[in-house]
Amino acid sequence: MPLRLFAAIPSRTRRHALALAISLCNAAALLLLPHAAQATPKGTLVFCSEGSPAGFDPGQHTTSTDFDASTNTVYNELVQFRNGTLDLEPALATSWESSADQRTYTFHLRHGVKFQTTSWFHPTRDFNADDVIFTFTRMLDPQLPFRKAYPTSFPYFSDLGFDKNIGRIEKVDDYTVRFDLKTPDVIFVRNLAMSFASILSAEYATQLSGQHREADINQLPVGTGPFAFRSYQKDALIRYDANPDYWRTQDVKLAHLVFAITPDPATRIQKLASGECQVSVFPRPADLEVVKRNPALKVVSGVGFNVGFVAYNTQHPPLDRVEVRRALDMAIDKPAIIQAVFAGNAKIATNPMPPAQWSYNNTLKDAPYDPAKARALLAQAGLANGFEITLWAMPVQRPYNPNAQLMAQLIQQDWEKIGVHARIVSYEWGEYNRRAKQDGEHDALLYGWSGDNGDPDNWLGALLGCDAVHGSNVSKWCDPSFNSLIEKARADANVSERAALYERAQVVFKEQVPFTPIAHSIVSLPASKRVDGLVFSPLGSHRFDGVSLQ
């Protein structure tokens, strides 16, 4: 009611009218407030992560440290795994179909998706087919101007053989893209749900090229995901803000997200207990007891879809000889490692993938722990006096290995008993990966894997296939009989026939011992009880879409 009208009304009536007006305003406000609270992200969540990412272009990297900082925050893929599951769901593609021969895949893209607006990029159009074409062409075509100006490798893309098998990527129209493959690939869509296939902005790439700043695509990311990158201080902090234009607005419940990079696990737990961070990663077994005794904290956990192993560089003598690898394998006391490193929170690994993976070969058995027989094998190989090698140990905790330094020391002691003198080596995590994958400098290497897509090929192909020798196949092992089985399985749409091929491939692996599987761990994620919506992922990823603070 306009104030000037109150002057013409008796004072008592005026008071009643004013009270009625205020009451109506308050009622209207109460009706609006719940909707505003739901629509407006609130709070800052601090995530105590374990290491610095090597960069923010998911196509260039392979570790969960990199993917947590990029894919799971800034980007989206065409298809994605529903959080906490191995089930596919639409993302930037709303639907897709394949040809009967599994060689042509067509994706229908989502309308109205916006790229993030940042201080270094202001998009002028929505996401469309041009962005999909750019994302994959930059990995496929070394002659692409952007690629030539910013020469780099895309390890996962080549590990999967995409560089050889994708014949053409065609823009059918602004919201339809078609992939033509040279050979059938029945797991193509599942592979595109993996982090390396995150979609980048073609418009942003054009801007960077015009400014001769192509390398910034790996340092100043722009995507369509739930959080927009703001800043990064190596070995310290990564800052993100909620993306106000996210196409799944209901999943953004935090105003700000901070990665507090904290390599030491004890310090991470201290920060969690003091409230400096609300979620932490990769606790040591002893730390879990501390968390469980704290009434303000909780543990989100599950059986890890992972394997930790020690890989042998099969291109370095004498590790190029199978009898030497078998000797090293049977000299490792796995039960002792499970107790000392995992405090029993793991299962001894026999195969190169976990038992939960379909096509796991249950008939295979480990060679028994037998130092005397191992020494005899070395003697038969002309190495009765043993030899010296390097044993690389990861500088960070991983879901498949909470303490690589301790594991390396235990293996070092085991091998010393058979005359093999191992010198333990370590590097910063990004350097560790580069030297091992690209350059193959190691002799023996502690490593591991968390499943990326729920398919056996993700273990056998990505870790052991010939296409991955210069990437995630850190054993540098290329066995024609093994690789033939993997390639046949990729082209076979019959699940039972694929399973049989993978089971045979595991037999070859066990005979040739390119690496020694050590453990499948139970993964735990400590968090504040204020954190709501945090989901354990079998894929080992840490996602904060859908997460809120009470």
Side-chain angles (χ1 to χ4, degrees):
M1 186 179 292
L3 290 177
R4 63 179 182 272
L5 295 182
F6 282 114
I9 301 175
S11 61
R12 184 177 179 184
T13 307
R14 208 164 47 236
R15 286 196 300 272
H16 282 295
L18 180 59
L20 178 61
I22 292 172
S23 178
L24 289 171
C25 288
N26 285 340
L30 288 171
L31 288 171
L32 291 172
L33 273 175
H35 298 284
Q38 291 172 12
T40 304
K42 291 185 176 180
T44 298
L45 186 144
V46 180
F47 172 52
C48 275
S49 61
E50 82 289 2
S52 295
F56 296 88
D57 176 356
Q60 298 184 43
H61 311 294
T62 60
T63 76
S64 61
T65 303
D66 305 307
F67 296 152
D68 280 347
S70 57
T71 300
N72 298 327
T73 49
V74 178
Y75 295 103
N76 295 120
E77 304 93 342
L78 290 175
V79 297
Q80 65 186 21
F81 295 103
R82 183 163 52 84
N83 202 5
T85 77
L86 297 175
D87 301 329
L88 289 178
E89 66 177 5
L92 294 183
T94 57
S95 63
W96 55 90
E97 64 264 359
S98 66
S99 60
D101 63 0
Q102 309 292 323
R103 290 180 57 182
T104 300
Y105 289 84
T106 304
F107 293 85
H108 304 282
L109 308 182
R110 190 177 299 276
H111 291 247
V113 176
K114 301 184 183 303
F115 280 96
Q116 296 145 1
T117 297
T118 68
S119 60
W120 54 89
F121 178 65
H122 295 261
T124 63
R125 62 165 178 80
D126 289 352
F127 155 78
N128 64 29
D130 292 334
D131 303 304
V132 179
I133 298 295
F134 166 74
T135 295
F136 291 99
T137 303
R138 90 189 203 284
M139 294 189 275
L140 183 66
D141 183 7
Q143 299 307 313
L144 187 75
F146 186 91
R147 175 79 176 274
K148 291 176 72 174
Y150 181 34
T152 189
S153 62
F154 298 98
Y156 226 139
F157 189 78
S158 56
D159 286 355
L160 296 172
F162 277 13
D163 56 332
K164 298 175 183 175
N165 198 32
I166 295 178
R168 183 175 61 165
I169 308 170
E170 180 184 0
K171 175 182 175 180
V172 179
D173 58 45
D174 280 348
Y175 289 93
T176 310
V177 175
R178 180 180 297 133
F179 291 79
D180 290 324
L181 309 182
K182 297 176 184 177
T183 60
D185 185 351
V186 297
I187 53 175
F188 186 72
V189 176
R190 296 192 75 85
N191 282 334
L192 290 191
M194 290 159 56
S195 295
F196 82 95
S198 298
I199 303 301
L200 279 62
S201 166
E203 184 183 17
Y204 179 43
T206 299
Q207 172 184 302
L208 292 177
S209 290
Q211 299 169 349
H212 305 292
R213 294 171 46 235
E214 288 84 4
D216 280 1
I217 207 165
N218 194 35
Q219 304 301 323
L220 297 172
V222 171
T224 59
F227 297 95
F229 175 89
R230 287 295 174 253
S231 63
Y232 171 45
Q233 182 181 352
K234 185 175 172 61
D235 299 329
L237 294 171
I238 314 173
R239 296 184 183 276
Y240 309 87
D241 292 339
N243 176 10
D245 299 320
Y246 190 44
W247 52 276
R248 291 176 63 161
T249 308
Q250 71 277 11
D251 287 345
V252 184
K253 301 180 179 182
L254 298 168
H256 309 285
L257 175 64
V258 177
F259 280 31
I261 300 167
T262 313
D264 180 62
T267 304
R268 290 200 296 271
I269 294 299
Q270 291 170 6
K271 287 184 175 181
L272 186 67
S274 68
E276 291 181 63
C277 62
Q278 289 75 51
V279 181
S280 182
V281 290
F282 311 141
R284 297 172 304 183
D287 295 330
L288 287 175
E289 295 306 315
V290 175
V291 173
K292 291 174 182 177
R293 291 195 299 267
N294 190 323
L297 304 180
K298 63 181 178 180
V299 178
V300 179
S301 62
V303 178
F305 198 51
N306 60 44
V307 61
F309 56 83
V310 53
Y312 309 115
N313 190 334
T314 59
Q315 297 181 6
H316 283 196
L319 301 177
D320 56 341
R321 299 166 63 180
V322 66
E323 62 270 29
V324 173
R325 301 195 297 271
R326 288 174 180 166
L328 294 175
D329 175 82
M330 67 176 58
I332 297 175
D333 188 350
K334 291 186 185 181
I337 290 175
I338 296 295
Q339 288 305 315
V341 177
F342 298 90
N345 292 313
K347 294 183 178 181
I348 290 177
T350 299
N351 294 13
M353 58 189 188
Q357 176 65 69
W358 66 268
S359 81
Y360 181 89
N361 192 329
N362 288 296
T363 67
L364 296 177
K365 305 296 180 184
D366 260 347
Y369 169 60
D370 193 336
K373 187 174 181 180
R375 184 180 281 277
L377 274 177
L378 291 182
Q380 293 173 19
L383 296 166
N385 296 324
F387 57 92
E388 295 183 0
I389 59 172
T390 58
L391 172 59
W392 289 26
M394 297 172 295
V396 297
Q397 295 76 42
R398 311 305 299 150
Y400 46 76
N401 192 335
N403 193 334
Q405 295 293 325
L406 176 57
M407 186 183 291
Q409 292 167 12
L410 294 172
I411 293 174
Q412 182 188 50
Q413 295 169 14
D414 288 340
W415 286 349
E416 193 69 33
K417 295 173 185 176
I418 64 171
V420 175
H421 312 294
R423 178 171 60 88
I424 298 175
V425 174
S426 191
Y427 297 96
E428 182 271 331
W429 186 224
E431 189 74 1
Y432 188 94
N433 279 282
R434 185 190 66 78
R435 287 173 177 260
K437 293 181 177 182
Q438 295 183 23
D439 303 332
E441 296 179 13
H442 59 288
D443 293 326
L445 173 111
L446 288 181
Y447 211 65
W449 198 256
S450 294
D452 287 310
N453 68 7
D455 194 273
D457 184 82
N458 187 239
W459 309 90
L460 304 182
L463 289 179
L464 296 160
C466 293
D467 287 332
V469 162
H470 299 291
S472 298
N473 182 347
V474 290
S475 297
K476 309 302 176 186
W477 181 68
C478 178
D479 183 281
S481 62
F482 178 93
N483 209 64
S484 175
L485 293 167
I486 300 305
E487 291 182 344
K488 288 178 182 177
R490 283 177 181 167
D492 196 333
N494 185 297
V495 174
S496 61
E497 291 175 1
R498 290 188 72 210
L501 291 167
Y502 289 133
E503 288 176 12
R504 287 168 56 193
Q506 290 167 76
V507 172
V508 177
F509 164 85
K510 208 64 183 169
E511 292 172 347
Q512 294 297 314
V513 201
F515 65 70
T516 294
I518 302 291
H520 307 297
S521 73
I522 296 171
V523 179
S524 298
L525 192 63
S528 165
K529 286 186 177 178
R530 293 177 55 218
V531 177
D532 191 33
L534 188 65
V535 177
F536 170 79
S537 170
L539 300 172
S541 60
H542 302 103
R543 287 173 52 176
F544 297 98
D545 50 319
V547 174
S548 62
L549 281 175
Q550 298 298 319

